[in-house]
Amino acid sequence: MSPLVVAEDSAEVKALKKGMPQDVAVLIERTVECNYWGGEDSSNKARAEKINQAMERLKCDALEKDHASIAKTYQNNYEVKVRMQKAKELF
């Protein structure tokens, strides 16, 4: 099962995304995906390559910058802040 399916099927992720603006929902899912791949064992060379490809595809290296942008855009929206923080804590 791919991580994308895991994130989409997770009741926690669905709950975090529910009612959020599209850009926030996408970033929540991406955050969870990056957390998932970042926590994978990369001691096997083939697995490490798969992890690196996923992390590049998801642009995990830009995640903090993207979180800052969302935080600025929705600076007065407490619910967005709470859900983004919870997404960071999954996986």
Side-chain angles (χ1 to χ4, degrees):
M1 181 178 290
S2 78
L4 184 58
V5 174
V6 171
E8 288 176 352
D9 287 346
S10 165
E12 286 177 299
V13 175
K14 284 182 180 179
L16 289 177
K17 291 172 30 178
K18 186 175 182 176
M20 288 288 101
Q22 181 66 27
D23 56 345
V24 175
V26 167
L27 189 55
I28 286 171
E29 189 167 303
R30 199 170 125 223
T31 299
V32 173
E33 297 295 328
C34 288
N35 289 347
Y36 171 85
W37 284 109
E40 284 288 289
D41 177 22
S42 62
S43 58
N44 173 296
K45 187 176 179 180
R47 184 69 178 159
E49 182 59 32
K50 186 172 183 173
I51 292 167
N52 288 336
Q53 288 173 354
M55 300 279 282
E56 285 178 23
R57 177 179 50 81
L58 292 163
K59 298 181 176 109
C60 295
D61 59 335
L63 206 56
E64 286 305 314
K65 181 180 134 242
D66 296 340
H67 275 271
S69 177
I70 288 290
K72 184 177 181 182
T73 300
Y74 297 99
Q75 63 188 341
N76 296 321
N77 188 324
Y78 177 76
E79 192 61 30
V80 168
K81 291 177 189 178
V82 168
R83 292 191 195 193
M84 291 304 303
Q85 183 57 44
K86 287 182 180 180
K88 287 181 178 182
E89 296 166 3
L90 289 179
F91 279 100

